[in-house]
Amino acid sequence: MRWGSWLKQGTILVSIMALVSGCFGPKPVLEELGKDGHGKLKVLYSDEGDFFREYGNVFTLKFPNIDIEVVETKGLYQQMQIQKGVDYGTLLTKLIDEQQPDVLTLSAPSYEEYALDGKLYNLESIIKQEQFDLEGFMPGLIDMVREQGGGALFGLPPFFFTEVLYYNADLFKANAIDLPKGGMTWKDLFDLAVRFEDTGMPGLYAGDEDAIGMLNRIADTWGLQEFDAKGENILLESESWKQAYQMVADAIRTRALQVKKPGDSSFLLAADNLFLQGNAAMTFGSSGFIREFSDPQNKKASKMDWGMVPVPIDPSHPNETTSARPYEYFAINEHSSNKRAAWEFVKYVNGPEMAKASSAIYYKLPTRTGFVKSIQGKSTEAFYALQIKNKKYEWAIKRVPSDFNTAYSPLREEALKAIIDKEKTVDEALAELQQKAQAALQKVRQDKVK
């Protein structure tokens, strides 16, 4: 056969192969479900009943032929009490190794740890092939989850928690004080709160939170660290820490801020909540707090003209907040033999249908935007106004013995009280706290070695 004939036939063969390839399309990243959509799925979750109420029931409506088994984690806390010295993370890893669930429900620290350890399935290829919509998530979320996974997506969080600043518009109008607004700094907030000083009520009410809790809020916003990277040295004598302590102390002393008393372990009831009773101008709360305004037992709150704005921001990162955090991450076990069924679950609970179905849930919000636009007639813009800041999991904390906090907590309270009572300057109080905390840390480390 002549060369030209070979060339002609070869061209025809290549064309046929290209046509066949085009008909069948690219090879799927994950094999499709079996006949009639049958599949099996083992899911790691805290409680079986909660899982089906939250996710399982709606998922099985769409995938009735996928059998789901739940591997519960709620028993791990009881095991911690029995096995003294064994932490939750160790028990969780052991449970996963033994049961090998296909879908893992993880907290942010666990998600980051498992992703970086190669224990989770990389979702990037299947997301790209199926053109799964990532644009519909709230700004910054996907970038944050990729950053936590070392540059790739190994899981997705369908819901998030966040807090906002609630305010009683009636009290602001009655006292001719301008309403709170978005973009306030912590200084702006306390300057606004102190304007209620002559009314006999706090401008900012902390509810169940004590002074240290409020201090931690500011520290989180500013990204302040208490330990160095190795968890060996205390870092408290910076100007930013001094400013945070002074700000909280001044606000409490002037009664612009009312916090829970030290040592008070009681749980605040709605009937005792000053804000709900109309006796405080502002307070912090999650989306779940909105339910209180429709509770018939909260008569004053139900008649209140209330509003909400985003929490205070760090001026150097005005579009971000540390008060928001993913509710839980769903990821696929790298060793799963049911990755397609697992992906169908992860895809569904992070998709538009799930976000739409959750419109009546108050205590958590979908990470997809545009599905919960208002609650009780109030715009949800304040909840979505700020991007979730990647509050990087502090590996230094893992290097600090857990017993340290027992010694450290009273030292912090003592230092802050001394500043509030003007017994010591902020410089004196933090210098002493630095010294005592460092000594306590060293002692705990020495005792642990013995």
Side-chain angles (χ1 to χ4, degrees):
M1 185 178 291
R2 291 180 299 174
W3 171 251
S5 179
W6 274 105
L7 181 61
K8 184 176 181 180
Q9 291 188 31
T11 302
I12 293 172
L13 181 61
V14 170
S15 299
I16 292 173
M17 291 176 65
L19 181 62
V20 172
S21 176
C23 291
F24 288 99
K27 182 181 179 180
V29 174
L30 295 174
E31 294 297 330
E32 297 298 328
L33 291 172
K35 186 179 179 181
D36 299 325
H38 281 286
K40 291 184 178 181
L41 201 57
K42 189 183 283 191
V43 180
L44 182 80
Y45 204 78
S46 58
D47 178 85
E48 182 177 10
D50 289 344
F51 169 78
F52 279 101
R53 279 189 294 272
E54 300 273 347
Y55 304 104
N57 290 335
V58 292
F59 176 72
T60 52
L61 287 176
K62 186 166 185 176
F63 296 91
N65 294 325
I66 293 181
D67 297 325
I68 299 179
E69 175 188 348
V70 177
V71 177
E72 295 185 327
T73 61
K74 63 182 181 181
L76 298 183
Y77 294 101
Q78 185 176 2
Q79 290 184 40
M80 287 175 62
Q81 300 299 319
I82 298 173
Q83 302 178 40
K84 300 295 184 181
V86 179
D87 61 47
Y88 181 85
T90 300
L91 293 173
L92 179 64
T93 299
K94 181 182 178 184
L95 178 65
I96 293 172
D97 289 342
E98 291 175 350
Q99 296 293 325
Q100 287 299 317
D102 304 295
V103 174
L104 306 181
T105 311
L106 302 170
S107 64
S110 294
Y111 167 75
E112 184 173 350
E113 179 182 348
Y114 282 37
L116 298 179
D117 285 349
K119 296 179 180 180
L120 306 180
Y121 175 68
N122 191 326
L123 302 178
E124 295 287 358
S125 295
I126 188 66
I127 285 175
K128 182 178 180 181
Q129 185 175 75
E130 299 196 357
Q131 298 182 336
F132 180 68
D133 174 33
L134 295 178
E135 298 299 321
F137 287 97
M138 56 194 300
L141 178 77
I142 298 301
D143 290 338
M144 182 196 74
V145 178
R146 277 202 175 106
E147 183 180 350
Q148 291 171 329
L153 288 177
F154 291 90
L156 290 168
F159 296 99
F160 76 105
F161 284 129
T162 193
E163 286 193 309
V164 293
L165 179 71
Y166 289 89
Y167 62 87
N168 185 332
D170 295 324
L171 292 180
F172 278 87
K173 293 172 185 175
N175 291 281
I177 298 174
D178 292 336
L179 295 175
K181 57 185 179 180
M184 291 191 301
T185 64
W186 281 101
K187 183 180 184 305
D188 294 333
L189 175 58
F190 288 131
D191 285 347
L192 184 62
V194 79
R195 295 183 64 183
F196 287 87
E197 185 177 7
D198 295 332
T199 66
M201 65 179 68
L204 179 61
Y205 177 58
D208 264 324
E209 196 163 77
D210 61 13
I212 296 299
M214 189 60 63
L215 179 67
N216 289 336
R217 282 181 180 271
I218 299 173
D220 282 346
T221 304
W222 294 350
L224 304 185
Q225 304 295 324
E226 290 180 297
F227 308 94
D228 64 7
K230 295 182 179 180
E232 296 177 350
N233 297 296
I234 306 294
L235 308 174
L236 289 174
E237 290 191 274
S238 69
E239 289 305 312
S240 294
W241 269 116
K242 292 176 183 178
Q243 185 179 354
Y245 269 84
Q246 190 69 64
M247 188 177 288
V248 172
D250 290 344
I252 293 174
R253 188 187 313 109
T254 60
R255 297 186 180 179
L257 167 66
Q258 181 169 326
V259 296
K260 195 170 187 176
K261 294 180 180 179
D264 183 357
S265 58
S266 63
F267 182 75
L268 183 67
L269 300 175
D272 301 319
N273 186 302
L274 293 184
F275 181 83
L276 293 176
Q277 298 308 310
N279 296 318
M282 297 176 285
T283 194
F284 290 113
S286 68
S287 56
F289 190 69
I290 292 179
R291 284 191 181 277
E292 301 295 347
F293 296 103
S294 60
D295 189 334
Q297 294 185 352
N298 301 332
K299 294 181 180 179
K300 291 186 178 180
S302 64
K303 298 178 181 178
M304 184 188 302
D305 179 13
W306 60 276
M308 52 188 175
V309 295
V311 295
I313 51 94
D314 178 358
S316 60
H317 299 281
N319 299 319
E320 298 177 343
T321 179
T322 55
S323 74
R325 65 189 187 281
Y327 181 62
E328 55 198 359
Y329 293 67
F330 286 104
I332 300 174
N333 189 340
E334 173 62 24
H335 301 296
S336 170
S337 58
N338 301 304
K339 288 190 175 70
R340 167 52 71 174
W343 165 243
E344 293 296 345
F345 176 82
V346 172
K347 179 172 63 173
Y348 181 78
V349 297
N350 284 281
E353 289 182 67
M354 190 72 200
K356 185 177 181 179
S358 65
S359 59
I361 302 175
Y362 286 5
Y363 66 89
K364 61 181 181 180
L365 295 166
T367 49
R368 284 189 176 274
T369 59
F371 290 93
V372 182
K373 296 181 180 180
S374 65
I375 301 177
Q376 291 191 14
K378 304 287 185 177
S379 170
T380 57
E381 182 181 354
F383 295 112
Y384 289 93
L386 301 174
Q387 296 182 17
I388 298 180
K389 184 177 182 180
N390 186 11
K391 186 181 175 183
K392 295 183 178 180
Y393 182 53
E394 296 298 337
W395 294 100
I397 298 297
K398 295 191 72 174
R399 301 187 181 102
V400 175
S402 57
D403 293 343
F404 169 71
N405 197 53
T406 303
Y408 182 48
S409 292
L411 295 177
R412 280 199 304 176
E413 291 177 3
E414 180 184 323
L416 183 55
K417 185 177 184 304
I419 300 170
I420 294 171
D421 296 340
K422 290 190 173 183
E423 294 174 355
K424 295 174 184 174
T425 66
V426 67
D427 287 348
E428 293 169 342
L430 287 191
E432 184 177 333
L433 176 59
Q434 170 88 24
Q435 185 179 15
K436 289 182 177 180
Q438 188 67 49
L441 179 59
Q442 292 174 349
K443 183 178 185 303
V444 170
R445 287 190 178 282
Q446 291 171 356
D447 292 343
K448 192 174 183 180
V449 174
K450 294 179 181 178

